[in-house]
Amino acid sequence: MTPHASPLRVAIVGSGPSGYYAVEALLQSGRDVEVDVYDRIPVPFGLVRYGVAPDHQKLKEVTRVFTRFALDPRVGFFGNVTVGRDVSVAELGRLYDAVVIASGAGVDRAMNVPGEDLAGSHAAVDFVGWYNGHPDYRDRCFDLSGEHAVIVGQGNVAIDVCRILAKTADELRKTDIAEHALTTLARSRLKTITIVGRRGPAQMKFTTKELRELGTLPGWDVTLDPADLALDGTSAAEMAAPQSATAAKNIEVLRGFAAKPRSNPREIRFCFFAAPHRLEGEGRVESFVVERTRLSGPAFQQRAEGTGTYRAIAADVVFRSIGYAGLPMPGLPFDGRAKIVPNVAGRVRDADGAVVPRLYVTGWIKRGPTGIIGTNRVDSIETVASLLADDLPRQEGAGGRERASALLRERGVRATSFAHWQAIDRVELERGQAKGKVRDKVIDRDEFLSIASGASGEAETPVAAGVGTT
Ligand code: NAP
């Protein structure tokens, strides 16, 4: 390793789990580092704040760990800064010795079927952002006055959406759910929620804990057609393989659901072997037409093949929860098919496959939207190992935090600091306490900035974490 006169200055774009796990890996490397985390939202923690369901507060506790990293004097935070608009990736590349993109995968995938744009048909991403008080989704409207909801996709996001739809306002009231969502959910008249999968029970993507939890929701039965539990030969072979431990447990949970007599007025139904075909309705969605499928292909690569048999499922509201996709960022290579930034072990590659010097990527934008929060730790450790192995020469006059701060100020960008977030955090906790909730989230960008201004003069002079504002 070459000795250097100045610290290794690293900009990380994105303050979700992969971003802060990259911070951790840099801090623990034993190298002399200075790290700044950028986020387009004025407050940190990305997916943990805006993706994790409000009734799963335990998962959000990881922010305490991220806060410890953020409060290290070597670490700064620039919130309310959109990289690619307020400052370009190339500019960050000149201000810092290395740039790590950890921007996640924040948009929905489309089903590409007729009727998908009817009123009442929504992306789960929008619903999740809305109930979590994400400023970009606060104005979305969800009409839950009908009796039948359909959720398309059988991953953990589908389960989150189902649980939030099924829980009563009283069960959600004490969480940090957005107030507007609580008001709408309290008026919900849903009686059935159908969770549709294009493949079979052996191919569900749920984690067992999440699946089991559906069976504990007061007032709801979980039902399915027991015939769907008879696995075909290839699926049975899949279940016998060691990597299918979760899938095998999931099937046991389904067997338990199927064996339980009905005792509740409302119903969560699992519908398997049903591919989206079209949405129908006069002006708004009324039914969701699916095509019966059969599986074909070798074990672990089985695909859903249409059989030409269709059926309509009553649907007053539809949520497509068929995975997330990354967005291209100006100035960054992008693989439009995989919706990720092309890379090898976190080193960004251009269209010709050549490594782009000093540019790295981690998290969902690196590998796609898979895994749980902790998966990002492993991912960021790999990316930071690549970065450190490159033993980057320091950039002449890079300037890092101080220069970046001056540039943003010059451009009139009202960046927020981690200390500003701490002030917002206190406000949210106090308001929450007054209402008997864990936290009452601020959901308005202007309010974020006004609390930040009140805490330390203007919210336009970014300061390193730990520089007090109280
Ligand atoms: P996911 O786990 O990839 O599930 C996507 C689902 O959509 C699959 O059932 C998939 O079926 C289906 N699908 C994809 N394209 C489809 C199409 N055109 N038509 C019909 N169905 C289609 O994605 P996710 O639920 O969005 O979750 C993203 C990641 O976040 C996952 O790793 C998840 O575990 C994680 N997460 C974790 C938690 C938690 O730990 N509590 C909570 C939320 C999310 P096929 O299998 O047939 O492709």
Side-chain angles (χ1 to χ4, degrees), residues 56 59 110-111 152-158 160 198-199 203 205 207 210 276 321-324 364 369-372:
H56 278 179
L59 288 178
M111 292 184 284
V152 190
Q154 296 190 330
N156 279 333
V157 171
D160 281 349
R198 62 181 172 182
R199 300 193 288 163
Q203 288 78 33
K205 298 239 172 88
T207 40
E210 272 65 22
S321 179
I322 60 171
Y324 286 64
W364 279 7
T370 59
I372 55 171

Side-chain angles (χ1 to χ4, degrees), residues 297-314:
F300 298 109
Q301 291 168 45
Q302 295 194 84
R303 296 171 66 88
E305 202 173 69
T307 61
T309 306
Y310 301 91
R311 77 178 175 99
I313 303 169

Side-chain angles (χ1 to χ4, degrees), residues 81-344:
V81 178
T82 300
V83 173
R85 185 194 67 191
D86 300 327
V87 59
S88 68
V89 175
E91 283 170 328
L92 285 183
R94 289 191 287 276
L95 289 162
Y96 294 85
D97 300 310
V99 178
V100 179
I101 306 294
S103 55
V107 296
D108 69 290
R109 284 180 185 268
M111 292 184 284
N112 297 316
V113 295
E116 185 162 14
D117 295 329
L118 277 171
S121 163
H122 306 281
V125 178
D126 293 9
F127 187 62
V128 170
W130 173 78
Y131 65 60
N132 270 323
H134 190 299
D136 294 352
Y137 299 96
R138 53 184 292 228
D139 296 326
R140 301 297 157 101
C141 291
F142 298 92
D143 182 349
L144 304 178
S145 61
E147 295 191 347
H148 307 293
V150 168
I151 303 170
V152 190
Q154 296 190 330
N156 279 333
V157 171
I159 290 210
D160 281 349
V161 168
C162 178
R163 238 186 20 258
I164 297 300
L165 288 173
K167 282 197 167 176
T168 62
D170 277 342
E171 288 170 282
L172 295 170
R173 204 177 304 285
K174 291 185 178 151
T175 71
D176 63 352
I177 193 166
E179 285 290 306
H180 55 235
L182 198 58
T183 308
T184 300
L185 289 163
R187 293 197 209 110
S188 165
R189 297 178 57 224
L190 291 178
K191 287 197 172 142
T192 71
I193 303 172
T194 306
I195 306 179
V196 175
R198 62 181 172 182
R199 300 193 288 163
Q203 288 78 33
M204 297 183 304
K205 298 239 172 88
F206 310 128
T207 40
T208 307
K209 186 165 170 275
E210 272 65 22
L211 178 62
R212 204 174 274 133
E213 196 180 351
L214 290 186
T216 67
L217 300 175
W220 294 82
D221 287 326
V222 184
T223 67
L224 61 142
D225 180 351
D228 287 338
L229 289 171
L231 302 184
D232 64 90
T234 314
S235 294
E238 285 179 10
M239 288 307 93
Q243 69 264 44
S244 297
T246 299
K249 272 193 255 160
N250 285 351
I251 293 202
E252 281 316 304
V253 174
L254 286 189
R255 286 193 208 288
F257 290 154
K260 210 167 161 208
R262 286 218 50 185
S263 58
N264 286 297
R266 287 169 295 163
E267 185 182 2
I268 295 167
R269 290 182 188 146
F270 280 99
C271 174
F272 296 103
F273 305 107
H277 182 63
R278 65 178 186 274
L279 283 74
E280 291 180 337
E282 288 294 316
R284 62 170 294 119
V285 65
E286 291 167 16
S287 75
F288 185 71
V289 181
V290 293
E291 181 177 11
R292 178 83 188 167
T293 64
R294 69 169 84 84
L295 299 183
S296 75
F300 298 109
Q301 291 168 45
Q302 295 194 84
R303 296 171 66 88
E305 202 173 69
T307 61
T309 306
Y310 301 91
R311 77 178 175 99
I313 303 169
D316 300 301
V317 63
V318 172
F319 299 92
R320 60 179 179 279
S321 179
I322 60 171
Y324 286 64
L327 268 182
M329 186 180 286
L332 257 195
F334 192 69
D335 175 343
R337 206 182 47 81
K339 311 273 187 211
I340 58 167
V341 173
N343 70 93
V344 175

